[in-house]
Amino acid sequence: MGRSDSELHLRAYGAIDGKRRWNRRIQYQSGRRVPRFGGLVNGSLYITDGGTDVIAVNARDGTIRWRRDLYDRVADAVPEKFLSPSNSAVDFSPIPVATPETVYIQSSYGLHGIDPGDGSERWRLYLGDQIDEAALEDPYGLAVTPRRVWASYGGHVQALFTVRLSDGSREVERTHLPFEFPSHPVVTDDREAVLTHDIVWGTSPLETLAVGVAGEDVEWQFPGYAGEGAAAYSPVATDGDHVFVAASYEQQEQLVVFALQVATGKLEWLYRESLADRNVSVGAGGEFRLCQPAVTGGTLVVGYGTNPEQGTGHGEVVALSRAAGQVQWRSTLSIAPQDVMRTGNRLYVGGQQGTVVALTDNDSD
């Protein structure tokens, strides 16, 4: 998935041969935020246009099954001041997570339950009454389990809302977060979630790298590594017992991977390697990015890359043992990796600009 100023580009490729199956261009108004991917469920791909619309795309041929403007539906019923501080549809910023029964949407209004079949809004939950100000401001991430929904917000709110779903009722808990720009929550069990910050690169290391949340309480905070100079960060991954997050620091040009215990945030193991001889510069914020870690069986895959704004560049993925952080294999890439997914004997690596590379067991060094 890629984008230009007013077009969202979707491309489908064969999993075995990599041949393009279809290409779809979706128009939207310029000036919108980054489109969000909500999952592939029962043959439909759910995305947003970066503004107000939620879109269901047929994964087989790329045709649009439905497209709904949620902002118009909410604006008809409530004053604009409850939608965003600037009263702008641009800041509605829907974030989707699809399940077979419901497409959940997080917005600057709150949460929405959407029918996967036709996009109709089944229910709506306003979250502004949980804070002192009406507007929620920036939605940052959504996670869903059968019994709960977690939604993180930044700006002046800096909160994680946990909504318990029970017998048609919705009970809301609010947790204050130490992050101005929180990541999407990563659920570790039925009641707990872990968050980091939604910053991929900064001019100096942040004081808190990750937090564990249960109910209305921050259970633990992990400070990370006391590096100096610029720093790059990855999202969080989990295996249920541990959470994993990577960071790189300008001082000594290092990649550091942390494995933390879910319940306590205690450091289980740490992997560190020098990037000094890898032709990369952590201090060049426009040129360096970390990949989202991925747990595949007993392996944790991490990665980094350069030239993230281009279709090609330089990158590397490293496979570590999930139990002890020992290197199992590594593979160099012609892209800056962003996401990793494993199916069967193939590891699919998505680039920062939409390019996809498939690795087999023979590709690892």
Side-chain angles (χ1 to χ4, degrees):
M1 183 170 72
R3 70 179 294 212
S4 63
D5 186 52
S6 59
E7 282 188 336
L8 177 64
H9 300 167
L10 294 178
R11 303 178 183 90
Y13 299 91
I16 304 300
D17 56 16
K19 292 182 179 179
R20 182 180 295 184
R21 297 293 188 258
W22 52 260
N23 178 61
R24 168 68 61 178
R25 294 176 179 266
I26 299 175
Q27 302 293 323
Y28 64 93
Q29 295 181 22
S30 61
R32 297 296 175 93
R33 299 190 179 189
V34 176
R36 299 294 190 114
F37 170 66
L40 175 60
V41 179
N42 292 338
S44 288
L45 179 71
Y46 297 94
I47 58 175
T48 69
D49 68 345
T52 62
D53 292 4
V54 181
I55 306 166
V57 179
N58 188 327
R60 181 179 296 275
D61 57 14
T63 56
I64 295 178
R65 288 181 166 165
W66 52 257
R67 180 171 184 165
R68 296 290 180 268
D69 184 341
L70 292 183
Y71 178 84
D72 281 346
R73 298 185 179 198
V74 173
D76 287 342
V78 298
E80 285 191 341
K81 70 178 183 178
F82 295 110
L83 301 180
S84 67
S86 63
N87 300 334
S88 169
V90 175
D91 294 323
F92 188 66
S93 308
I95 297 175
V97 170
T99 71
E101 296 79 22
T102 305
V103 180
Y104 294 88
I105 306 294
Q106 178 193 14
S107 74
S108 60
Y109 174 84
L111 296 176
H112 313 255
I114 306 301
D115 189 311
D118 59 8
S120 59
E121 189 179 53
R122 291 173 174 169
W123 54 263
R124 181 190 308 161
L125 178 63
Y126 174 53
L127 293 176
D129 55 3
Q130 303 293 319
I131 60 176
D132 296 331
E133 301 180 52
L136 289 166
E137 201 166 350
D138 296 325
Y140 271 91
L142 188 65
V144 176
T145 67
R147 297 180 60 185
R148 284 180 172 84
V149 179
W150 287 261
S152 60
Y153 287 84
H156 68 272
V157 178
Q158 292 186 217
L160 176 68
F161 295 95
T162 304
V163 182
R164 188 166 71 91
L165 309 174
S166 177
D167 299 326
S169 63
R170 302 174 186 90
E171 300 177 10
V172 182
E173 296 176 313
R174 177 195 176 196
T175 308
H176 179 75
L177 298 174
F179 303 132
E180 183 179 359
F181 311 106
S183 71
H184 71 275
V186 174
V187 179
T188 54
D189 72 7
D190 184 59
R191 190 170 177 268
E192 298 178 344
V194 175
L195 300 93
T196 180
H197 38 72
D198 192 44
I199 298 175
V200 296
W201 184 89
T203 56
S204 61
L206 300 173
E207 294 182 359
T208 301
L209 182 61
V211 299
V213 175
E216 297 181 345
D217 301 318
V218 173
E219 298 286 295
W220 54 262
Q221 297 189 41
F222 181 75
Y225 177 69
E228 296 180 3
Y233 302 96
S234 79
V236 172
T238 185
D239 63 1
D241 296 319
H242 305 87
V243 292
F244 307 96
V245 60
S248 289
Y249 301 94
E250 184 177 9
Q251 183 187 35
Q252 300 178 350
E253 297 286 358
Q254 289 185 335
L255 168 67
V256 185
V257 182
F258 304 90
L260 310 177
Q261 294 178 4
V262 163
T264 64
K266 181 180 178 181
L267 182 65
E268 184 81 8
W269 55 257
L270 179 148
Y271 171 77
R272 183 183 301 170
E273 72 172 45
S274 173
L275 301 177
D277 60 348
R278 303 297 174 84
N279 193 30
V280 300
S281 175
V282 176
E287 297 295 324
F288 184 85
R289 292 291 184 272
L290 291 179
C291 176
Q292 177 165 356
V295 176
T296 61
T299 300
L300 174 72
V301 181
V302 298
Y304 64 88
T306 60
N307 297 325
E309 302 303 320
Q310 301 178 19
T312 59
H314 168 74
E316 185 175 45
V317 288
V318 182
L320 307 175
S321 65
R322 184 162 55 88
Q326 299 171 332
V327 176
Q328 296 177 329
W329 55 263
R330 64 176 69 236
S331 182
T332 57
L333 304 171
S334 59
I335 60 171
Q338 182 177 41
D339 305 289
V340 177
M341 181 183 70
R342 187 179 188 91
T343 59
N345 67 338
R346 283 181 169 81
L347 190 72
Y348 296 95
V349 184
Q352 299 279 343
Q353 290 299 310
T355 306
V356 179
V357 174
L359 302 176
T360 63
D361 293 337
N362 295 328
D363 293 321
S364 56
D365 297 335

